[in-house]
Amino acid sequence: MTSKVLKQAKKSKGMVNYAVKANFPKKHFWTLSIWKDQDSFRNFVMAEPHATAIAKFSRWAGDGSAFVEWASSDGSIDWAEALKRLQSPTFYYGNKNTGA
């Protein structure tokens, strides 16, 4: 569903920027999105096809999957900052002891 969700993100009101990063051999994937405001982000999360992806996430995600949210005044993608913040995530999915 990745391509469908990315297409949705591109068209979503309030989207500022987004990026996807992957370590295919380890099957680790990261997404980073920047939104104009919290309402725009929430509308995207609850709309299709993202809503379906969330429902299926429990089958796809490995233990230690994590999410982090923060406010920033800069609309640029900063992977170093995102990965640093994942050390203290907003939400863990599964067993946090296995890493994200």
Side-chain angles (χ1 to χ4, degrees):
M1 295 197 68
T2 302
S3 63
K4 290 179 182 179
V5 172
L6 290 177
K7 189 175 187 179
Q8 174 198 3
K10 287 180 191 179
K11 294 180 179 182
S12 292
K13 182 180 178 187
M15 167 59 73
V16 174
N17 204 350
Y18 73 93
V20 178
K21 188 175 184 170
N23 179 332
F24 290 105
K26 291 187 176 185
K27 296 183 181 180
H28 290 174
F29 302 90
W30 300 267
T31 60
L32 190 120
S33 59
I34 301 169
W35 296 87
K36 179 182 171 187
D37 54 47
Q38 195 70 8
D39 286 339
S40 297
F41 172 67
R42 284 190 186 111
N43 289 335
F44 164 76
V45 168
M46 300 309 293
E48 292 297 337
H50 192 273
T52 296
I54 290 171
K56 293 181 177 185
F57 192 74
S58 63
R59 291 184 283 171
W60 299 334
D63 284 343
S65 294
F67 304 89
V68 65
E69 292 181 29
W70 75 93
S72 173
S73 59
D74 186 353
S76 66
I77 300 294
D78 185 344
W79 281 110
E81 179 70 14
L83 295 172
K84 177 182 167 186
R85 288 180 179 267
L86 273 172
Q87 300 304 308
S88 299
T90 305
F91 175 78
Y92 271 110
Y93 186 88
N95 183 350
K96 68 180 182 178
N97 296 322
T98 60

